[in-house]
């Protein structure tokens, strides 16, 4: 892939060209003390000069001492909210003398550009694609939305303490296909983006930008910037070996560790809502007072709720122990058998946005340690 | 929770609705009156047989559906709720008072005689029980709709479900689920504000966090609550003091067992032991 250099001051041109190509641009914005994903119309809407500090159960935005546009990690939102809608109507039905008429609700699938998609997020989207587009449980709404996305990815040049994509082999360098790939470089007075395109649509946009072909020096600087994120994670608190997670969890279905985490877990479902791969939803059927009109809605659901496993006689997972075990074992173990990959991309959202700071990397470590103690004695 | 949707026999003619008031502020009954557009439809489907807040016209029982607002605070109400139950095929309690004892259940944590002696010139005229208790402490309840006040859309949903013999879609999960679905930024994690959302029953649509405030639990406990862990974190990581913790647990749902137990535990000198 031939890379080009786009000066940082020209970032807005990129946004305007993508808009002119017919896409509504969604990207990071600073709102309510967090960097969330929302509609943007100019580069000035981006959280330039801001970063985030994340640890378990805490998130704070802070000023950076430079003008970086993408100098933060992932926030509370994920792109899933644009693809697998949190709440949507599936059908409506009316009954009259001639029977029941059911009308499917086909929600419009807007042409969206996602600006600033990180590598772990690309992996998360690919995971959801395997479920909703290629899998047994196809979701038309998702599929239609997904096919309209113009994807602009950004290589991470700094990582939050909650990030562990290097351990999950999902980042920080973008490896999955997108329309445009960018790396932000700030060194002294220089501030530019290394940009490459991997699709026809991306190339069309690139052609319209005031770019120059990159030199080896540009590329070396970009590589150094990405290596910075790698180093942060390798030295960070959540670096671990994930290769045997499936077997580990399959062996430890009865680990006492599950009881301990259940004492702390609130069963609030924040982790699953924030997770970019968690795809579970429920359908809610309702009628109006007359009983002649009915609706079905699809809504995000979570393995942390009782309704989720409610069948005749009660919930299959009535307590927090079984719910947390289900969540983590699905993410890190059974997902492999079901979809051929881990269900976790190491984005750290479940760690940051868990109100009581439950950290799945820490839970894995505890399970491993307890197993060792059980085997070898303390 | 998907409640027991026991079959309701279809009687001939319209089914009869009764709305009862016990110790309460009338806010939940007002939620019903607030269903302006749907009230006509409701009157079309049900005979509004007893609803003193709306009309002095009364039709005798038995009633197919009784909505009960308010808690039990007097000996007379204790008898009256038995009569209401006896006349009702299905009894649904509405609001924090009826489902958990309401704000007036703060008396459960103190000495009510001390209050009456201070407040009233002639405390001997006051005939009240020492406690405020939910309706379910006295009679069998078919469904509890939580909230202070209740959400009128949920009330219509419960009535529609009753009329058409299906389980109501009133999920018992946390406010956090609604908060995330709305796309709110969590005020607990991003601002360090103590928020009751993780232990509170959904239904409000995460109203308070939507305005950058912590939830104060007006919808009462969700299913499977872990108040001990919540309070531990508030204290340890958010630096909340005992008063903040106890005040949040002792709101409109102070006597809900999981909130009451935890607020008592928090008040003990040895704290979280
Ligand atoms: S499980 Fe946690 S770290 Fe893994 S993808 Fe989901 S939110 Fe991110
Ligand atoms: S792990 Fe944390 S976020 Fe997930 S349900 Fe438990 S307390 Fe909530
Ligand atoms: S703000 Fe409160 S209700 Fe919303 S997710 Fe955070 S803890 Fe839950
Ligand atoms: S206090 Fe909690 S339950 Fe009540 S309206 Fe606010 S967020 Fe909703």
């Amino acid at each position: 892939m031939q890379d080009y250099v786009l000066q940082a001051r020209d970032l807005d041109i990129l946004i305007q060209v993508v808009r002119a190509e017919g896409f509504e641009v969604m990207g990071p914005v600073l709102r309510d003390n967090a960097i969330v994903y929302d509609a943007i119309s100019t580069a000035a809407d981006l959280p330039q000069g801001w970063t985030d500090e994340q640890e378990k159960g805490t998130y704070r935005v802070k000023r950076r001492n430079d003008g970086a546009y993408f100098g933060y990690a992932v926030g509370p939102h994920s792109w899933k909210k644009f693809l697998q809608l949190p709440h949507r109507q599936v059908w409506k039905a009316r009954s009259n003398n001639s029977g029941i008429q059911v009308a499917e609700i086909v929600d419009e699938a807007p042409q969206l550009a996602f600006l600033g998609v990180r590598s772990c997020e690309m992996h998360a989207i690919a995971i959801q694609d395997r479920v909703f587009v290629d899998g047994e449980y196809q979701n038309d709404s998702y599929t239609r939305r997904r096919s309209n996305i113009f994807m602009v990815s950004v290589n991470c040049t700094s990582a939050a303490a909650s990030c562990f994509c290097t351990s999950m082999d999902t980042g920080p360098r973008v490896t999955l296909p997108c329309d445009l790939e960018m790396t932000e470089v700030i060194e002294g007075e220089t501030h530019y983006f290394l940009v490459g395109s991997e699709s026809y649509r991306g190339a069309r946009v690139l052609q319209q930008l005031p770019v120059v072909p990159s030199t080896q020096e540009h590329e070396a600087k970009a590589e150094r910037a990405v290596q910075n994120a790698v180093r942060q994670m390798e030295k960070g608190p959540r670096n671990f070996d994930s290769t045997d997670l499936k077997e580990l969890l399959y062996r430890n279905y009865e680990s006492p560790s599950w009881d301990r985490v259940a004492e702390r877990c609130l069963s609030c479902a924040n982790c699953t809502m924030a997770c970019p791969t968690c795809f579970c939803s429920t359908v809610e059927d309702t009628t109006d007072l007359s009983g002649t009109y009915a609706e079905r809605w699809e809504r995000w659901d979570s393995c942390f709720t009782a309704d989720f496993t409610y069948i005749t006689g009660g919930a299959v997972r009535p307590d927090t122990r079984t719910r947390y075990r289900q969540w983590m074992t699905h993410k890190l173990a059974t997902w492999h058998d079901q979809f051929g990959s881990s269900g976790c991309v190491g984005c750290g959202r479940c760690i940051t946005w868990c109100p009581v700071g439950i950290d799945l990397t820490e839970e894995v470590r505890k399970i491993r340690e307890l197993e060792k103690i059980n085997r070898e004695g303390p | 929770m998907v409640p027991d949707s026991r079959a309701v026999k279809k009687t001939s003619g319209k089914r009869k609705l009764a709305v009862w008031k016990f110790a309460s502020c009338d806010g939940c009954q007002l939620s019903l009156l607030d269903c302006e557009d749907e009230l006509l439809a409701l009157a079309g489907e049900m005979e509004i047989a007893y609803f003193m807040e709306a009309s002095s016209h009364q039709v005798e029982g038995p009633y197919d559906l009784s909505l009960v607002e308010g808690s039990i605070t007097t000996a007379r109400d204790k008898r009256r709720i038995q009569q209401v139950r006896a006349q009702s095929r299905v009894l649904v309690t509405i609001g924090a008072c009826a489902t958990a004892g309401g704000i007036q259940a703060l008396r459960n944590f103190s000495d009510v005689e001390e209050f009456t002696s201070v407040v009233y010139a002639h405390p001997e005229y006051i005939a009240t029980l020492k406690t405020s208790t939910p309706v379910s402490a006295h009679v069998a309840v078919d469904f509890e709709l939580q909230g202070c006040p209740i959400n009128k859309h949920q009330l219509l949903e419960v009535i529609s479900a009753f009329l058409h013999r299906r389980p109501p879609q009133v999920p018992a999960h946390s406010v956090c689920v609604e908060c995330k679905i709305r796309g709110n930024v969590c005020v607990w994690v991003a601002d360090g504000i103590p928020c009751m959302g993780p232990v509170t029953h959904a239904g409000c649509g995460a109203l308070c966090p939507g305005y950058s405030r912590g939830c104060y639990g007006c919808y009462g406990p969700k299913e499977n609550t872990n108040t001990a862990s919540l309070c531990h974190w508030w204290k340890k990581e958010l630096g909340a003091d005992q008063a903040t913790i106890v005040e949040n647990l002792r709101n409109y749902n102070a006597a809900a067992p999981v909130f009451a137990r935890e607020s008592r535990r928090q008040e003990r000198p040895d704290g979280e032991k």
Side-chain angles (χ1 to χ4, degrees), chain B residues 200 204 207-209 215-219:
Chain B
T200 301
C204 66
L207 208 53
C208 298
C215 163
Y216 53 95
C218 77
Y219 270 63

Short mmCIF file of all heavy atoms in Angstrom, two decimals, chain B residues 200 204 207-209 215-219, ligand 4:
data_model
loop_
_atom_site.label_atom_id
_atom_site.label_comp_id
_atom_site.label_asym_id
_atom_site.label_seq_id
_atom_site.Cartn_x
_atom_site.Cartn_y
_atom_site.Cartn_z
N THR B 200 -30.82 -0.36 41.07
CA THR B 200 -32.19 0.15 40.94
C THR B 200 -32.90 -0.43 39.73
O THR B 200 -32.30 -0.63 38.67
CB THR B 200 -32.14 1.70 40.89
OG1 THR B 200 -31.53 2.18 42.08
CG2 THR B 200 -33.53 2.30 40.77
N CYS B 204 -37.53 4.18 34.52
CA CYS B 204 -37.56 5.64 34.33
C CYS B 204 -36.88 6.04 33.04
O CYS B 204 -36.97 7.19 32.63
CB CYS B 204 -36.87 6.31 35.51
SG CYS B 204 -35.11 5.94 35.56
N LEU B 207 -33.41 8.58 33.78
CA LEU B 207 -33.69 10.01 33.76
C LEU B 207 -32.56 10.82 34.38
O LEU B 207 -32.02 11.74 33.77
CB LEU B 207 -34.99 10.23 34.55
CG LEU B 207 -35.86 11.40 34.21
CD1 LEU B 207 -36.19 11.41 32.74
CD2 LEU B 207 -37.15 11.31 35.04
N CYS B 208 -32.20 10.50 35.62
CA CYS B 208 -31.23 11.33 36.33
C CYS B 208 -29.84 11.31 35.70
O CYS B 208 -29.28 12.38 35.46
CB CYS B 208 -31.20 10.96 37.81
SG CYS B 208 -32.80 11.24 38.59
N PRO B 209 -29.27 10.12 35.41
CA PRO B 209 -27.96 10.14 34.74
C PRO B 209 -28.02 10.90 33.41
O PRO B 209 -27.02 11.48 32.98
CB PRO B 209 -27.64 8.66 34.52
CG PRO B 209 -28.44 7.95 35.56
CD PRO B 209 -29.70 8.75 35.73
N CYS B 215 -28.45 8.46 40.04
CA CYS B 215 -29.78 7.90 40.34
C CYS B 215 -29.91 7.81 41.85
O CYS B 215 -28.96 7.47 42.54
CB CYS B 215 -29.86 6.51 39.71
SG CYS B 215 -31.18 5.45 40.32
N TYR B 216 -31.07 8.15 42.39
CA TYR B 216 -31.26 7.99 43.83
C TYR B 216 -32.28 6.90 44.15
O TYR B 216 -32.85 6.88 45.23
CB TYR B 216 -31.57 9.32 44.52
CG TYR B 216 -32.72 10.10 43.92
CD1 TYR B 216 -34.00 9.98 44.45
CD2 TYR B 216 -32.52 10.95 42.84
CE1 TYR B 216 -35.06 10.69 43.92
CE2 TYR B 216 -33.58 11.65 42.29
CZ TYR B 216 -34.84 11.53 42.83
OH TYR B 216 -35.88 12.22 42.30
N GLY B 217 -32.49 6.03 43.20
CA GLY B 217 -33.19 4.78 43.51
C GLY B 217 -34.70 4.88 43.62
O GLY B 217 -35.32 4.07 44.32
N CYS B 218 -35.32 5.82 42.93
CA CYS B 218 -36.76 5.99 43.15
C CYS B 218 -37.59 4.84 42.58
O CYS B 218 -38.74 4.67 42.94
CB CYS B 218 -37.24 7.36 42.68
SG CYS B 218 -37.43 7.55 40.93
N TYR B 219 -36.98 4.03 41.71
CA TYR B 219 -37.73 2.86 41.21
C TYR B 219 -37.53 1.61 42.07
O TYR B 219 -38.00 0.54 41.72
CB TYR B 219 -37.39 2.60 39.73
CG TYR B 219 -38.34 3.35 38.82
CD1 TYR B 219 -38.38 4.74 38.84
CD2 TYR B 219 -39.25 2.69 37.99
CE1 TYR B 219 -39.28 5.44 38.07
CE2 TYR B 219 -40.16 3.39 37.21
CZ TYR B 219 -40.16 4.77 37.26
OH TYR B 219 -41.07 5.47 36.50
S1 LIG C 4 -33.86 8.45 40.91
FE1 LIG C 4 -33.16 6.74 39.61
S2 LIG C 4 -35.00 5.60 39.26
FE2 LIG C 4 -35.63 7.64 39.94
S3 LIG C 4 -35.92 8.88 38.10
FE3 LIG C 4 -33.85 9.20 38.80
S4 LIG C 4 -32.65 7.68 37.64
FE4 LIG C 4 -34.75 7.03 37.53
#
